[in-house]
Amino acid sequence: MSDKTRIAVVGFGLVGRRHVDVVRSLPDLELHSVVEADPSSAAKAAELGVPVYGSLAQMFDVDRPDGVLLATPTPLHVEQGMLCIQNGCATLIEKPISVTSGEALQLTRAAELADVPLLVGHHRRHNGMVQAAKAALVQGRVGDIRAVQTTCWFYKPEYYFDEAPWRTKKGAGPISVNLVHDVDLLRHFCGEVLSAQAVSVPSRRGFENEDLASAILSFESGAVATISVSDSIVAPWSWELTSRENPRYPATSESCYLIGGSEGGLSLPDLRVWAHEGGPDWWSPINAQTLAHDMHDPLAAQMSHFSRVIQGVEEPLVSGLEGLKSLEVVEAIARSAESGRAVTIASMDRLSQENQKEAV
């Protein structure tokens, strides 16, 4: 019997294939199987030489892995996550955790009651640049965080939507699909969000969703963040094009996060910390130091962490509850953009509670 942690990957699309490659590259992990309902994708997965199942239920009927990674479309996450929990199997769900925070609450509660580890794939928290930035903020390198500017602009080509028509539907725009990454990092850096005020612009391509949105987030700490997202703007200012996490994206030397504090400023991902000589004074010279950071694949770091959580030696860095909280903020942004009014996270929490009661 293998001493390796056996991981099953559910979904053999673009994201699932990356996770499969990561699992196969790590010496302490073993690819248990692939679950894929689409026949053509399943045929490609069969070339890996591991069992390929048409459904999660079929896999659990045959053999239970040590952990499951769900890389399937978001609407499937709750049903599949519940099945994993019912089988006592540790689960890592790609972000967002679910379509609605009410569903996420149902899922996180089920995992808690069953004492089954539930993680959400906000892999950026595992990035060495993010870890170095977080450490600098905790150490007070910028003083109190006062404001953050976040830009998430890129251009998704037509074939991106042609190969997956669900991406053109209502609820599948950049607010829900892309912004959840940045919201999670903002919470990681600044703490919990109190409210969101947002605007959005309908898709110029005629899709059912938006293609541009901007929001102002107010935090419990008193910090304020401005965040803008679009999948129809040609620009170098996005995490995808600046972080060098995924070699498929052309790398730029720009930054997409600007964090302003009472003692200094920090840009990310270039990790430059700016401060005035002799203390804050706009008349005195201002200089930058570049922080050192570990150069590792955040997806590999996340998967290794998942293995250690399964083994019981680490607590989840991004738990189901963390995924729920980030999703609540994204929902608040979407509701504010639709209504034109500020939305508090407390009201989103009450909505989650009500939705969960209706689902029971």
Side-chain angles (χ1 to χ4, degrees):
M1 189 174 189
S2 174
D3 293 330
K4 297 183 177 183
T5 304
R6 302 180 309 150
I7 303 295
V9 175
V10 184
F12 199 60
L14 292 176
V15 177
R17 292 174 192 181
R18 286 196 68 201
H19 285 300
V20 164
D21 290 341
V22 167
V23 172
R24 299 179 74 197
S25 71
L26 295 173
D28 297 333
L29 273 64
E30 177 182 315
L31 183 62
H32 169 273
S33 60
V34 172
V35 178
E36 176 54 63
D38 178 72
S40 60
S41 296
K44 294 178 181 178
E47 298 174 5
L48 299 171
V50 299
V52 178
Y53 301 99
S55 70
L56 260 177
Q58 183 185 22
M59 181 198 73
F60 281 123
D61 284 343
V62 176
D63 185 30
R64 192 192 78 168
D66 299 314
V68 168
L69 186 143
L70 297 180
T72 49
T74 306
L76 301 178
H77 287 177
V78 173
E79 178 183 353
Q80 294 176 335
M82 284 294 189
L83 187 57
C84 292
I85 292 168
Q86 291 164 8
N87 282 274
C89 192
T91 307
L92 170 58
I93 302 180
E94 263 299 343
K95 75 292 149 202
I97 182 173
S98 60
V99 174
T100 69
S101 57
E103 293 176 336
L105 181 61
Q106 183 182 6
L107 190 57
T108 54
R109 282 183 170 175
E112 182 179 1
L113 289 173
D115 195 26
V116 172
L118 177 64
L119 292 74
V120 183
H122 288 293
H123 68 275
R124 293 182 187 177
R125 293 202 195 190
H126 295 273
N127 191 300
M129 293 178 292
V130 170
Q131 293 170 343
K134 177 67 174 179
L137 295 174
V138 171
Q139 294 163 6
R141 293 287 298 270
V142 305
D144 296 328
I145 299 176
R146 301 298 313 283
V148 182
Q149 293 182 13
T150 301
T151 305
C152 183
W153 294 345
F154 38 72
Y155 197 96
K156 293 177 180 175
E158 296 302 325
Y159 59 79
Y160 172 86
F161 302 99
D162 292 340
E163 64 188 19
W166 64 268
R167 293 167 175 164
T168 69
K169 303 302 182 182
K170 182 176 176 60
I175 289 180
S176 61
V177 173
N178 302 104
L179 207 57
V180 69
H181 278 299
D182 299 283
V183 164
D184 186 71
L185 276 194
L186 287 174
R187 288 186 52 251
H188 188 49
F189 291 147
C190 304
E192 299 305 334
V193 178
L194 285 175
S195 65
Q197 176 78 61
V199 295
S200 64
V201 178
S203 169
R204 284 192 171 187
R205 309 186 210 212
F207 299 157
E208 296 178 9
N209 49 46
E210 78 288 342
D211 70 358
L212 168 64
S214 294
I216 300 173
L217 304 180
S218 299
F219 291 81
E220 291 180 356
S221 65
V224 174
T226 56
I227 185 168
S228 181
V229 62
S230 176
D231 61 10
S232 61
I233 289 179
V234 175
W237 306 295
S238 67
W239 187 262
E240 286 77 7
L241 271 64
T242 60
S243 67
R244 302 173 190 266
E245 277 187 352
N246 188 339
R248 291 199 64 181
Y249 296 105
T252 73
S253 59
E254 302 295 316
S255 279
C256 57
Y257 286 78
L258 300 178
I259 302 174
S262 57
E263 301 290 333
L266 169 64
S267 53
L268 193 68
D270 66 4
L271 288 176
R272 302 183 77 188
V273 179
W274 291 86
H276 288 286
E277 295 180 6
D281 179 353
W282 69 346
W283 295 117
S284 68
I286 187 169
N287 301 300
Q289 292 183 335
T290 302
L291 301 175
H293 68 281
D294 291 333
M295 297 288 292
H296 56 246
D297 180 357
L299 286 181
Q302 176 182 252
M303 193 65 72
S304 294
H305 168 69
F306 183 36
S307 176
R308 293 190 292 272
V309 170
I310 293 171
Q311 296 164 11
V313 297
E314 286 186 8
E315 292 296 317
L317 176 62
V318 188
S319 65
L321 180 60
E322 284 293 292
L324 164 61
K325 289 181 176 180
S326 292
L327 180 57
E328 281 183 328
V329 177
V330 172
E331 281 188 334
I333 292 172
R335 289 185 65 200
S336 176
E338 186 174 344
S339 68
R341 298 187 298 270
V343 174
T344 65
I345 305 306
S347 68
M348 293 304 304
D349 185 59
R350 287 194 297 271
L351 181 62
S352 295
Q353 299 278 352
E354 293 169 2
N355 290 342
Q356 198 273 338
K357 288 179 182 178
E358 292 176 1
V360 174

